[in-house]
Amino acid sequence: MWELIWRGSIIGFGATLAMDLWALILTFAFRQPKPNWAPVGRWFYHLKSGTVFHHTIADAAPYRHEQALGWITHYAVGIAYGIILALALGSSWLAEPTLLPAWIWAIATVAAGWFLLQPGLGLGCAASKTPNPNKVRALNLLAHTAFGLGLWLTALLIR
């Protein structure tokens, strides 16, 4: 079991890195804004006081290290997703990784963003309170596709 957890951690880290590389491509090739993990850090910081949902995260009290906490949270969640995938699919998948289960899992994880994080930040379910919800949703699905590719490719690299 520890082998699955260890390998899942590496896979989740690699997948999160792939997602971040995708974000850089969008930034440089298509002039999309860089991801700002500070609001996520602020949101995560306020969880300790039991506040999950904010009208808008900008109105919540700032936290001095929210940018760093946001990045740590981003990678911790990615690693957790990698561990869950490894535990769910087991050593047989890790020995011969295939793309489809990794991609399906990555797309399923969009639900946490759409129904927990985005409402928690005050953006509404599935970014419904943003100026262009469908664009945000499409970008979320593409980012999680990059995450799924990262899960699979990292699993291939470490088998």
Side-chain angles (χ1 to χ4, degrees):
M1 181 155 133
W2 289 111
E3 178 74 15
L4 293 176
I5 292 170
W6 173 245
R7 293 178 73 188
S9 298
I10 296 167
I11 291 166
F13 182 87
T16 307
L17 186 61
M19 182 186 242
D20 290 339
L21 292 173
W22 171 250
L24 285 176
I25 290 168
L26 288 177
T27 297
F28 292 112
F30 301 104
R31 301 196 191 283
Q32 287 293 313
K34 289 181 183 177
N36 178 7
W37 292 104
V40 174
R42 185 179 294 187
W43 175 78
F44 192 78
Y45 178 76
H46 284 282
L47 286 176
K48 70 177 177 49
S49 63
T51 306
V52 177
F53 300 103
H54 298 265
H55 177 69
T56 175
I57 197 66
D59 292 343
Y63 168 61
R64 183 174 171 205
H65 304 290
E66 60 192 30
Q67 183 76 346
L69 183 58
W71 276 102
I72 291 166
T73 301
H74 171 57
Y75 272 84
V77 168
I79 289 167
Y81 287 159
I83 292 169
I84 292 167
L85 178 71
L87 290 172
L89 298 181
S91 56
S92 63
W93 182 82
L94 290 170
E96 292 295 326
T98 54
L99 176 59
L100 189 60
W103 181 70
I104 290 170
W105 172 239
I107 294 302
T109 64
V110 171
W114 284 357
F115 303 113
L116 178 62
L117 181 61
Q118 290 173 353
L121 295 172
L123 302 175
C125 285
S128 62
K129 294 181 180 178
T130 64
N132 193 342
N134 287 331
K135 179 181 177 183
V136 174
R137 293 170 190 148
L139 288 170
N140 292 158
L141 289 169
L142 288 171
H144 281 253
T145 294
F147 183 79
L149 285 168
L151 289 168
W152 174 59
L153 292 172
T154 305
L156 283 174
L157 285 172
I158 67 166
R159 67 182 168 149

